[in-house]
Each structure stands twice: as C-alpha cells, then as structure tokens.
Amino acid sequence: MCRVLFYLRIIIKYGKCLISTMSFNLNMPRCFSWFDRLHSFTPSGVRGLRNYGLSCCVNTLLQAFSATWELADLLERWAPVGTGDGSRNIPLQLKKALMAMRSDQPQPAPHHNFLQCLDRNYIRLSIQHDADEVFLSILNFMQQQMDDKQLALEIQNLYKISVETHLHCSVCSSVQCWTSYLLNLPLHIREDRNSLEGCMTSFFQLQELKGRDCCFCAQCGSKTPSKQGFKLLSLPHILCVHVNRFRSYRGFTEKLDCAVTFPETFDLWENLGEEAFSKDYVKNDCKYVLFAVVVHSGSAMFGHYTAYVRHKGNHQWYFANDSYVEQATWKDVQRTYGGDYRDTAYMLMYRSTKEEEEQPQCSG
C-alpha cells in the first residue's frame, strides 16, 4: 500500500494532467476518492479542486481568485435578486465556489456547479482553454450578470489599468490621444532570456506601425505609417500580468518556453521610469507584491495548468495542482521562470501595498 501511495503521489504531482485527454461528463456524480481527502487540504486552509477532465485551467483560476481575498469579500457583500435558480449566473456560482474554498473541510472544495455554469455560458470544458482568455471572460460576465452595478464596478476597478494611447503620424507629425483601460497587462516576450522589468519597458516604448498595421490619420485623410505608445494614467489594486508565451507561426500555435524572470516585490515607478507614466498620473501606488502565479506546463496543443498562491493569513506560498495542495517556497515559484524548467509562469498576480497596514512578508 505504501508503494502504491508513493507512485500515486508522483503521478499527481509531476505527471500533470495525464487524464486530461479523456472525455468527461460534467453531470457525473460528485464523489471524492480517499486520495482527494488525503491531499486536497492543508492546515492553512488552502483547499484543492477536483479535476473534471479538462478543468485544470478553471481550477487554477479559482485558486488565484481565492487568493484575491478582496474579490471574495466584494462578492460576499452581494445579495442577488431576480437570478432564478442561478444556474447560469457566473458571479453567483463563483461566489459560492470561493466561499466553499474558504471553509475548513478535508475534501476538495465543491465547484461542480461553477463548472456547469461556465459551460452553460459557452465556456466549454470539453476543450482546452487559454487561462488568460477565461480569466477575462469571467470578469466580463461579472459585469454583465451582476444586478448590483455599483458592486460590479468595484470588482472591475480592482483590476482596471487606465492608459493613455498616443498615435504619432510619421507623415504629418500629428498626434492623436485617447484614454482606455485594460484588465490585465499583456506582455510579449523574446525567444531568448527575458525579465518582467524588460518586458514592461518594451510595452511602454513607441511601437512602429506600418504596412497592414497602418492607422488612419484624420489630418492626412488616409492610413499612414505611425508610432504608437502607451502611458499609465492609473494602476489597480490587483495588477494582473499576462506573459504571452503563445504565438502563431505559419498557421500553427507554438509556445515559447524561454526564461522570464520576475520579482516577488516590484516598484513600477523605479523600474519603468517617469516616461511610462502620464503627466496626469499621481505617484502614490506603484509598489506591488506577488501573491499568485498561474503556471502552464507542456506544449500549445497539450498542456496542464497549476498555481502557486500566497496565503492571506501566514503569507506562505502553496502549490495547487487540482486536488493536490502542498506548502511551497519562493524558490519553488522561481522554478516557473521557464528556460531550464518545464513549468512556465503564464499569469502573474500582484497586489498593491498601498493602504496596507503591514506589507506581506516575503519568502526567503
């Protein structure tokens, strides 16, 4: 029995989602194995989530949402009315799933209804998904399906990055400016070694637009070559960074496994410099601490998602691989840089240290 337990643990922890290619019915009974009960809960209160075939992407996002305690607190304040049975309401089912993840139970947290709700809203769990796309879809559904629009706006503002876009025409030198917002910061990476600081700096540098990418210039009355740049107007409390490791190449999608280093604490003002900020930006909330990492393993066509999350109470890192949860260290998180490691960080969640009475302790 000990030998069986040992090999099962190795398969669950390192074999990743070996059963992900199997077809699962979301209407299957919600039964839990003795193995789930053994490894789904840690003394800290971080609960695992059972994998229903291809649900590792959603499981990982739920761990990140759960670690975003501000989101769970806002949803707990919401008293929905007129939602019927709520089976199609994503924010309602997310609220229930996050509440279950907070409870001290020895088995995986029940989230089957949330998975079914996503499926009813055409986020089909019978296929592989991009975690960043599902993340943005869930945030958008919360805006659409919450009847308390003020609370929905507060949730959006948790992640809202306001930017100023500048378009410089290369022909007439005119400049067009407008404001917009993002719910995450999409960063492109090079095929060699990268750093978060370097990728962010590149994002805010002027990008040349020509050929098919030419934009319309009102002054010239036609599409012209131009240079486009972004400047920050405001930063959110929760800064979500999307490390874009997938790209299209000759009609196929491929994954870049190159190294992307990132810090546990980050000061955008110091690292990006004044040129990345609008003149209207108020410098008061630029320091961030990492609290969740969405990790992708495998290739573009066959992969698995896991997560590292920092617990609110003891500030320790935990590794969550579906129903398997264990305590981790900052050194473990650093192994998701990529390069020599097969696990690659795909989404990074940073929390602003502004208005915190005590900055979360960082791991050694």
Side-chain angles (χ1 to χ4, degrees), residues 183-196:
L183 296 178
N184 67 2
L185 198 61
L187 300 182
H188 292 279
I189 62 176
R190 302 183 305 270
E191 293 189 31
D192 54 359
R193 189 172 179 82
N194 303 261
S195 68
L196 180 65

Side-chain angles (χ1 to χ4, degrees), residues 75 85-86 91-101 110 113:
L75 285 173
D85 64 358
L92 177 59
Q93 297 303 327
L94 176 61
K95 173 184 177 178
K96 292 179 179 179
L98 295 182
M99 288 179 64
M101 292 176 73
N113 289 342

Side-chain angles (χ1 to χ4, degrees), residues 132 135-136 159 161 182-186 239-242 347:
D132 181 68
F135 168 77
L136 293 175
Y159 301 92
I161 309 166
L182 306 166
L183 296 178
N184 67 2
L185 198 61
L239 177 63
C240 177
V241 179
H242 173 211
M347 296 173 67

Side-chain angles (χ1 to χ4, degrees), residues 7-25:
Y7 283 115
L8 277 173
R9 185 168 183 171
I10 293 296
I11 290 171
I12 293 294
K13 185 177 180 183
Y14 299 107
K16 304 302 178 185
C17 196
L18 298 179
I19 60 173
S20 288
T21 55
M22 297 171 63
S23 175
F24 277 73
N25 184 352

Side-chain angles (χ1 to χ4, degrees), residues 1-232:
M1 176 60 74
C2 292
R3 186 181 296 273
V4 171
L5 278 172
F6 173 78
Y7 283 115
L8 277 173
R9 185 168 183 171
I10 293 296
I11 290 171
I12 293 294
K13 185 177 180 183
Y14 299 107
K16 304 302 178 185
C17 196
L18 298 179
I19 60 173
S20 288
T21 55
M22 297 171 63
S23 175
F24 277 73
N25 184 352
L26 286 176
N27 294 315
M28 66 172 64
R30 284 175 285 178
C31 56
F32 302 106
S33 69
W34 56 268
F35 187 81
D36 287 331
R37 292 189 175 92
L38 256 166
H39 296 289
S40 67
F41 179 75
T42 64
S44 70
V46 179
R47 294 185 69 183
L49 297 162
R50 190 179 182 195
N51 190 326
Y52 287 89
L54 291 173
S55 69
C56 63
C57 172
V58 177
N59 291 358
T60 299
L61 291 175
L62 280 173
Q63 292 291 355
F65 282 137
S66 181
T68 313
W69 51 265
E70 299 90 341
L71 172 63
D73 288 348
L74 286 171
L75 285 173
E76 282 195 22
R77 285 168 44 193
W78 178 41
V81 294
T83 58
D85 64 358
S87 62
R88 296 183 61 89
N89 191 288
I90 286 178
L92 177 59
Q93 297 303 327
L94 176 61
K95 173 184 177 178
K96 292 179 179 179
L98 295 182
M99 288 179 64
M101 292 176 73
R102 284 184 168 186
S103 64
D104 295 344
Q105 298 295 326
Q107 68 270 2
H111 70 309
H112 186 266
N113 289 342
F114 180 64
L115 297 177
Q116 287 187 315
C117 182
L118 292 178
D119 196 69
R120 292 187 182 106
N121 284 274
Y122 305 104
I123 301 178
R124 303 298 189 192
L125 297 182
S126 57
I127 60 174
Q128 292 192 85
H129 284 284
D130 182 286
D132 181 68
E133 292 179 358
V134 177
F135 168 77
L136 293 175
S137 295
I138 291 173
L139 291 186
N140 287 330
F141 274 119
M142 282 196 274
Q143 296 303 303
Q144 297 167 17
Q145 297 181 350
M146 288 184 69
D147 51 16
D148 188 334
K149 297 305 178 185
Q150 180 59 40
L151 205 57
L153 185 61
E154 287 186 51
I155 290 175
Q156 184 185 76
N157 287 340
L158 268 181
Y159 301 92
K160 187 176 179 179
I161 309 166
S162 295
V163 294
E164 209 173 60
T165 304
H166 299 261
L167 192 65
H168 303 252
C169 178
S170 300
V171 176
C172 68
S173 299
S174 64
V175 180
Q176 302 178 59
C177 297
W178 64 91
T179 61
S180 57
Y181 72 88
L182 306 166
L183 296 178
N184 67 2
L185 198 61
L187 300 182
H188 292 279
I189 62 176
R190 302 183 305 270
E191 293 189 31
D192 54 359
R193 189 172 179 82
N194 303 261
S195 68
L196 180 65
E197 299 90 333
C199 293
M200 280 192 176
T201 299
S202 296
F203 180 86
F204 290 104
Q205 289 176 341
L206 286 174
Q207 305 294 323
E208 192 170 357
L209 304 177
K210 56 185 179 180
R212 293 182 178 180
D213 296 325
C214 285
C215 293
F216 182 80
C217 174
Q219 189 95 357
C220 297
S222 62
K223 288 186 175 183
T224 61
S226 57
K227 291 183 179 180
Q228 185 181 57
F230 303 98
K231 290 186 180 293
L232 286 165

Side-chain angles (χ1 to χ4, degrees), residues 42-46 67 69-70 264-265 289-292 308-319 326-331 333 351-353 356-364:
T42 64
S44 70
V46 179
W69 51 265
E70 299 90 341
E264 196 172 14
T265 58
V289 60
L290 186 69
F291 71 93
Y308 285 93
V309 293
R310 189 200 297 274
H311 190 263
K312 178 185 177 183
N314 59 22
H315 309 303
Q316 295 298 311
W317 283 104
Y318 289 86
F319 172 68
E326 69 173 2
Q327 190 167 337
T329 65
W330 170 238
K331 188 174 182 179
V333 179
R351 174 179 284 113
S352 172
T353 59
E356 288 188 0
E357 294 182 1
E358 181 181 2
Q359 181 172 329
Q361 302 170 5
C362 294
S363 307

